Amino acid sequence: MAEEDDARLAQLGERLTQVRGRIDGAFAASGRTGELPTLIVVTKFHPAADIRRLAGLGVRDVGENKDQEASSKAAELADLGLNWHFVGQLQSKKAKSVVRYASAVHSVDRLSLVDSLERAMSAEQARTERGSLDCYIQVSLDEDAGAHRGGAAPADVPFLADRLAAAAGLELAGVMAVAPLGTTPEAAFEKLAGISAALVALHPAATAISAGMSQDLEAAIRFGATHLRIGSDILGSRPDVR
Ligand SMILES: *Cc1c(COP(=O)(O)O)cnc(C)c1O
């Protein structure tokens, strides 16, 4: 067990170093200055023990996409003080659970979810000392409106943003997107950068851009990503289920 544990730790350390190197390289190549994007390691399907190893390697931000899995890992790893990012489609009825552990939700895509998160945060803040919840508006970059796999239409961003900005306990962080199939990540993230710029013109503090996964982090960095969501290139492939 101990030996296996060391081998996994070494593997995670190596892959983390590789990904950090890619981020540094892409950041330098982009000509951007200022802070490096935040690396969120997406740990879905992988055991809590891996998250503990990653924390030992300096990871502070982790991402999950299912409430049940995330809440049990967060409870088991509460001693680590990690920032938990919820990155999956979120049912309104799960809001109450998610605000117990998440510092950010990257998948806010409709008004009814803003309402549920605001109600859940109001109850949670009455009960605990927790700070506000960072909320990203997930934008669908699919040209084909029928193909939306989660995400608001770009035209809906302004009113969602106004509602989020006015909601108690919620902080409008910025935008999030997944590059759709059928286009290059560069084209997708350039479009997202334009949506972000329009949002920032209305809400100057909402500067975050959550974009970039294992396959396309370089393109995301080139087009301004501030938060990267990287899973498989650090943890390895996920079981092909669900
Ligand atoms: C799984 C997931 C990721 C990570 O994807 P990889 O390709 O494994 O890096 C990023 N964002 C979201 C929304 C995800 O569900």
Side-chain angles (χ1 to χ4, degrees):
M1 176 63 202
E3 256 171 59
E4 246 172 63
D5 202 67
D6 288 351
R8 180 60 169 160
L9 181 65
Q11 180 182 54
L12 290 173
E14 234 166 77
R15 291 190 184 144
L16 194 58
T17 301
Q18 271 168 15
V19 165
R20 289 200 194 283
R22 283 170 64 196
I23 295 170
D24 290 344
F27 192 74
S30 73
R32 288 171 57 181
T33 55
E35 263 181 80
L36 274 175
T38 300
L39 170 60
I40 300 165
V41 182
V42 179
T43 48
K44 63 191 186 200
F45 296 107
H46 293 280
D50 275 351
I51 304 178
R52 193 171 286 285
R53 293 182 182 102
L54 289 165
L57 295 164
V59 169
R60 302 304 307 151
D61 292 270
V62 296
E64 289 282 339
N65 74 337
K66 295 274 194 297
D67 171 59
Q68 206 180 358
E69 182 178 346
S71 62
S72 79
K73 287 175 177 171
E76 185 177 341
L77 301 170
D79 60 302
L80 299 176
L82 295 171
N83 303 315
W84 294 84
H85 297 255
F86 194 86
V87 304
Q89 283 194 38
L90 181 54
Q91 292 174 277
S92 293
K93 65 178 184 194
K94 303 282 175 129
K96 221 173 128 185
S97 171
V98 166
V99 302
R100 296 227 158 124
Y101 57 84
S103 60
V105 172
H106 290 239
S107 46
V108 178
D109 61 356
R110 58 196 191 279
L111 281 178
S112 59
L113 181 56
V114 178
D115 293 343
S116 302
L117 287 170
E118 185 181 33
R119 267 197 306 277
M121 277 298 293
S122 146
E124 187 65 10
Q125 288 186 314
R127 199 175 71 83
T128 68
E129 304 274 277
R130 71 152 297 158
S132 51
L133 179 74
D134 284 340
C135 291
Y136 295 72
I137 299 174
Q138 184 176 354
V139 186
S140 170
L141 300 174
D142 274 316
E143 297 294 341
D144 174 5
H148 286 190
R149 287 167 304 167
D156 293 342
V157 171
F159 78 81
L160 273 172
D162 289 347
R163 174 70 186 94
L164 266 172
L170 309 183
E171 199 74 53
L172 172 62
V175 292
M176 178 275 213
V178 176
L181 303 171
T183 174
T184 64
E186 284 79 7
F189 295 141
E190 185 172 18
K191 186 170 167 185
L192 183 64
I195 294 166
S196 169
L199 173 66
V200 170
L202 299 169
H203 297 276
T207 54
I209 300 179
S210 168
M213 307 178 21
S214 293
Q215 298 299 311
D216 55 22
L217 72 89
E218 285 85 359
I221 290 171
R222 191 169 145 210
F223 289 101
T226 61
H227 292 73
L228 309 165
R229 308 179 313 270
I230 313 296
S232 45
D233 277 3
I234 294 170
L235 286 138
S237 57
R238 298 177 283 270
D240 203 11
V241 294
R242 276 201 252 185

